[in-house]
Amino acid sequence: MFLRWLMSAFVAFILLLMTGTLVPVNRDFRQTPDGIQVFVVSNGVHSDLVLPVREPRTATNWLQKLDNAAVVTKFERYEYVGFGWGNEGFYLGSYGGQYPGLGNTLRAALPSPTLLHVDFYKNAPRLGERVVPLLVSEVQYRQLAAFVEQSWQPDSAGRPILLTAAGYTPDDFFVRARGCYHILRTCNDWTNQGLRTSGLRAALKAPFAASVLYQARRAAKKPPGRLPTN
C-alpha cells in the first residue's frame, strides 16, 4: 500500500513539473527592436545563458568582471560568453565526455555544492534547434547580467573564485557558485530564473532544458514590441 502511494506521489510530482513547463511567466514579453542580442543555448540536458563579452550600451564587460589576467589575455578576442549553473559533482564528473556515476547522480537529488560554468565563444552561437536568440532591452540586459554576477561566489575582493584553468575544452572553465543544487533546484531552473527575473518570457517551472527552450522559442516567435514614441 505504501509503495503504491509513493509511486502515485512520484507520478503526481512529475506531472506537476511538466505542467509548469507549459505555464508562461512574463507572457507579455516582446523582443526589443534593435535590442541587445542574447541566446538561450542547450546541449539537450543542460541550458546556458549566452551574452556578449562586451556590451557598450550598458557598459558591461565580462572580462573586467571576471578580473583574471590570464582569462583577459586568453579571451580578449572572443565575442560571447556563456554561463551555466549546476551541481559540482556532475560538472567535475563529466570530464572527458564521461557521464557522472550513480553516486553523483543520487547525491545531486539532495542539497549539494554548485559551480558556475563559463564558456567563451569566438562568435555568436550558430542558430539551431537548441539555440534561441532573443533581443532584449538595456534594462532587461542589466537585470540578466546582475543575476549572473550574483550567482558566483566572490573572494574577499569581490572577484569570482576560479576553480579550474580549463574545463571540457580550452574555451571554458569553472568558478565557485552560490546556492545549493537539489531535485527542486536544477541547472535549468537557474537559467529559467534568470530569464524570469529579467522580465523575459519563462516557464513557471523548468526542471529540464526542454522546458526552458519551449518558452524561449515562444518568446522568439512573437513580433517585436513597438519602439517608444516622443
Side-chain angles (χ1 to χ4, degrees), residues 174-210:
F174 294 98
V175 299
R176 293 287 180 190
R178 287 172 165 160
C180 289
Y181 184 104
H182 51 79
I183 193 170
L184 295 178
R185 170 67 168 162
T186 69
C187 54
N188 298 304
D189 282 316
W190 178 88
T191 307
N192 191 67
Q193 183 183 358
L195 298 171
R196 184 177 68 244
T197 58
S198 303
L200 281 62
R201 183 172 177 133
L204 180 64
K205 182 65 176 173
F208 310 114

Side-chain angles (χ1 to χ4, degrees), residues 85 87 106-114 179-185:
W85 178 94
N87 176 271
L106 294 175
R107 283 191 291 272
L110 302 174
S112 46
T114 55
C180 289
Y181 184 104
H182 51 79
I183 193 170
L184 295 178
R185 170 67 168 162

Side-chain angles (χ1 to χ4, degrees), residues 56-136:
R57 282 177 279 183
T58 58
T60 304
N61 186 322
W62 288 105
L63 292 177
Q64 290 180 355
K65 290 180 180 294
L66 291 166
D67 196 14
N68 180 286
V71 169
V72 172
T73 299
K74 186 173 182 179
F75 298 112
E76 62 181 351
R77 296 183 181 276
Y78 285 58
E79 294 186 358
Y80 283 85
V81 57
F83 296 97
W85 178 94
N87 176 271
E88 179 177 348
F90 254 77
Y91 271 140
L92 299 185
S94 299
Y95 275 91
Q98 300 296 314
Y99 190 82
L102 180 60
N104 280 332
T105 302
L106 294 175
R107 283 191 291 272
L110 302 174
S112 46
T114 55
L115 298 175
L116 197 66
H117 184 224
V118 184
D119 190 6
F120 280 85
Y121 293 70
K122 290 183 178 179
N123 306 109
R126 184 177 299 175
L127 299 184
E129 182 181 355
R130 296 173 180 170
V131 176
V132 181
L134 295 169
L135 292 171
V136 304

